[in-house]
Amino acid sequence: MASIGKTRLDSGWLAARSTEVSLSGTQLTTTHPPSGPTAPWLNAVVPGTVLATLVENKVVPDPFYGLQNETIIDIADSGREYYTFWFFTTFQSKLSGNQHLDLNFRGINYSAEVYLNGHKKVMPKGMFRRHSLDVTDILHPDGQNLLAVLVHPPDHPGRIPPKGGQGGDHEIGKDVATQYVQGWDWMAPIRDRNTGIWDEVSVSITGPVNIIDPHLVSSFFDDYKRVYLHATTELENRSAWVAECSLNIQVSTGVEGNICLVEHLQTQHLSIPAGSQVQYTFPELFFYKPDLWWPNGMGKQSLYNVHITVDVKGYGESDAWSHLFGFRKIESHIDSTTGGRLFKVNGQPIFIRGGNWILSDGLLRLSKERYETDIKFHADMNFNMIRCWGGGLAERPEFYHYCDIYGLLVWEEFWITGDVDGRGDPVSNPNGPQDHDLFLICARDTVKLLRNHPSLALWVGGNEQVPPDDINKALNNDLRLHPYFENSNEISKSSEDLSAVSKDPSQYLDGTRVYIQGSLWDGFADGKGGFTDGPYEIQNPEAFFKNDFYSHGFNPEVGSVGMPVAETIRATMPQEGWQIPLFKMLPNGYTEEVPNPIWEYHKYIPYSKPKKCVDQIELYGTPKDLDDFCLKAQLANYIQYRALLEGWTSRMWSKYTGVLIWKTQNPWTGLRGQFYDHLLDQTAGFYGCRCAAEPIHVQLNLATYFIEVVNTTSDELSNIAIEASVWDLEGTCPYYKVFENLSAPAKKTVPIVEMKYPKSKNPKPVFFLLLKLYRTSDFGILSRNFYWLHLSGGDYKLLEPYRRKKIPLKITSKVFIKGSTYEIEMHVENVDKKADSRSLTYMNNFTAKQGNGDLDMASVEPAASGTDEKNEVGLFQRMFRSFTKENGSLKVTEVNGADVGVAFFLHFSVHALKTDHKEGEDTRILPVHYSDNYFSLVPGEVMPIKITFKVPPGVTPRVTLHGWNYHGGHTVH
């Protein structure tokens, strides 16, 4: 008997253009299967797209490099047949009596015909729907099965107008598919419109009864002490007789390794008539004070494994299903003070600081590894929400898996955008997609796919637009809240009272999350659909703190610059793309940047806004070359995004309830709105956000120059102090103050005192300010924040000669290795002999942060279990991995220097050690997780840094330190 469970079909696929294959699907899967990757057949990327397969096989160049996308024929010019492809693979499966095999496609774009062993099945249209085919009766007796899938592109791929535009000519909006593929102001068009088998393909074996889409819901009583787990599932009996079933539900927690603690085990008996499908609701399971799931920065992300099995009398275990589940309650309402939507998790208000997300990769080369990096990066930035923008994907379960683990709330949007659906230029598709029934089929299926994830916070009808009336009405009805979740006030009634007035909440399609009709409605932006999000350009940093900057309570999109490091430009563009912009002086005294054509194509956004904002790169002096430009851009990135978040947080609850930055990343090699590039290297803006969004934070209000303490936690801070020190470019400390006996109430931003150095006698035109918030009991650092500042109306040009200063450093490092994973602990010390002895916090003894921001990138994984499906969601464990020490001693590296002062803007990078290094070759090892980067050290200060990364086979890594005062790069390990 074959083992029950799921097996992915993610390797061994071939692909060929349909016009180059003369055989029929029946022939391909019977008498004439392709024998291998010989013309016209290619090794295929599945899951993936046609274009991903063509790029992988070098049939077309990398569309994300330079201007190469322009050399690839667009579907509008080639016709749909050109991107209509066959995909072929084989799989082994031999069933015994009463077993069934389903062939599952989790996503096809856009329609397909499936052939298995000569039998044809037609797949209905729609990018965001699952397909499951019972192919039991057409499996080959010898167990070798031949599968061919003919995939057709979207019906309305549209054309790309000469000027580009938001969503091209908007034709793609007639289909239920991704809309970004026709290009946007941050994205070049995708030539095949993402045609392909873009998501997981699998086969699953069950007995006579299978489990379909269980729904898990938790309800809370008595201040979260009494908790009930509700569970409903569909069960299908595919046999010709009544199935006598034992239905089991087990709830367990991971303790250590493969050891689990079973919290609940319940068995129910039921009979299912032959050939029928029934819905079954378990008696609710009671928990007393379970560990709750909290968003990043608020507490732990406690997860339980819920395992459901069905045993059939005379057969045995017929099917099994597992899912990680978090006990948590998410509520929201429109706040009367700010007019913004205010979210609560487990009864606690949460100030939303997060970002907009498009998708991992524009060619849909999606992977668990990439998703984990993406989501951990967001957690590392101390973000607590990701908005999945409506022109992109309905995100995948793997995305949500890591959001569950790292504590990122998710705003999931359906596939409507104002630009494409009725509000664009030209106006088109005012009635949305042509097939409204198809849209709703995809929406309902997406809800079933994602609804059990604790990270999923709300559904939204569309981006800057509401769905057509009939769709909106249907979604409102389908996603209506269960009565328990309608009232944001804590319910004190018993579970029995609740069940007496309404059906079990797990019987709803969702019932637990609010549905908002559009991203500019009902507590977002002006709440009425006006285009009141944005702006999307460089700002003077102090502007974010001013009363007139943004007048609504929750901004779903505010964006700015996103220049990556120079190595990324060299890795993604030919030499003509290494030319920096021309700085054109205008009559009004402002500068206009004129970028090269490749940067223009990659949607570069300038660091100046004539009449509004002086060039934030030129403040440091006109850049000389690419390295100089990109380094100065990182200085501007750090200041820009730290100021954005600090400005919002300065008005926490008094003016704002949240903000989402447009955007956190790019699905290609774009040059705007990102905190890490497509190659997964962080910009300095990443660390500006990480600093500004920490749960407990000390900051300088750039408009008032008041020092403020931010406490987003639910505990009051008492017996705390602030150390404020100003350092000049000569290495002296003209201003040093300690403010003691401070306290900060829970969930509040408190102005403490004005920082008056700029008003002192003869202040320096450029100076550094170091703020430290610490506990007076043990000098434990709660927050550290370093600023470089100039006097009003000035600039940073004095920092240019400061680059010549050589500040001595001492770097102590220890390496731990496990398999291919390296973890390096660094201590970086500014050993300037004139260190100021007044500071009691120079060692930077940081207190532990809440949440998972500082966990190893691979420290939380589902443990291995019996089947492929169980591997995904099996027994959950959270442990630091055990590392073997590379060698027994510490390594000490000294960077010599005779100067005194601040070691400014230090940043590490990790490279592959190569003896035959070619000029311009990208030797970086990516991704790397740094506990901090782009940091500065005042004299005598020590900074602990942890660096974690995986190394490709056969590669020796080296860690390099650069900085404003350190140009050539120093190998420190």
Side-chain angles (χ1 to χ4, degrees), residues 877-922:
Q877 57 181 350
R878 176 174 288 138
M879 297 167 58
F880 281 107
R881 290 161 293 131
S882 57
F883 284 85
T884 54
K885 201 179 294 184
E886 184 187 46
N887 40 44
S889 59
L890 297 175
K891 178 175 180 181
V892 178
T893 303
E894 295 192 353
V895 179
N896 296 322
D899 292 312
V900 297
V902 171
F904 183 51
F905 215 53
L906 305 171
H907 51 103
F908 288 110
S909 55
V910 182
H911 299 261
L913 188 59
K914 289 198 169 185
T915 51
D916 56 343
H917 174 63
K918 302 180 188 69
E919 187 182 357
E921 183 182 2
D922 188 10

Side-chain angles (χ1 to χ4, degrees), residues 610-772:
K611 295 187 180 178
K612 189 172 181 181
C613 181
V614 299
D615 196 292
Q616 298 293 293
I617 289 176
E618 235 183 357
L619 283 176
Y620 300 89
T622 303
K624 299 184 290 292
D625 54 25
L626 181 65
D627 289 294
D628 194 30
F629 180 93
C630 289
L631 180 57
K632 288 171 177 172
Q634 299 319 311
L635 290 163
N637 289 343
Y638 193 106
I639 288 179
Q640 181 78 180
Y641 286 108
R642 176 176 61 183
L644 189 160
L645 286 176
E646 288 184 341
W648 244 270
T649 309
S650 180
R651 307 297 185 87
M652 178 171 66
W653 312 130
S654 62
K655 187 179 179 185
Y656 301 127
T657 59
V659 61
L660 299 175
I661 297 173
W662 183 266
K663 10 182 231 350
T664 56
Q665 48 77 247
N666 274 302
W668 77 308
T669 50
L671 298 180
R672 66 164 64 191
Q674 61 186 358
F675 298 127
Y676 58 94
D677 59 46
H678 195 247
L679 304 183
L680 299 176
D681 201 353
Q682 299 95 329
T683 73
F686 183 106
Y687 298 98
C689 288
R690 178 175 171 80
C691 171
E694 57 189 352
I696 298 169
H697 183 59
V698 62
Q699 65 184 39
L700 182 70
N701 184 311
L702 296 179
T704 66
Y705 262 57
F706 263 73
I707 297 170
E708 299 171 340
V709 172
V710 178
N711 180 11
T712 67
T713 74
S714 53
D715 299 318
E716 180 183 4
L717 298 174
S718 57
N719 299 316
I720 55 175
I722 293 172
E723 179 188 85
S725 58
V726 168
W727 297 82
D728 61 25
L729 300 185
E730 284 72 51
T732 60
C733 180
Y735 176 97
Y736 180 86
K737 301 278 186 185
V738 175
F739 307 99
E740 296 182 298
N741 301 317
L742 304 177
S743 61
K747 309 285 182 185
K748 284 279 194 300
T749 298
V750 184
I752 302 296
V753 66
E754 185 180 357
M755 200 285 290
K756 293 184 176 180
Y757 173 73
K759 294 180 179 178
S760 65
K761 191 177 180 182
N762 299 321
K764 298 296 173 69
V766 176
F767 59 93
F768 303 113
L769 171 67
L770 177 61
L771 300 177
K772 291 186 181 181

Side-chain angles (χ1 to χ4, degrees), residues 555-576:
N555 193 343
E557 296 182 15
V558 56
S560 192
V561 291
M563 193 65 195
V565 297
E567 292 94 328
T568 292
I569 295 296
R570 292 192 181 97
T572 57
M573 296 178 185
Q575 276 194 309
E576 52 268 35

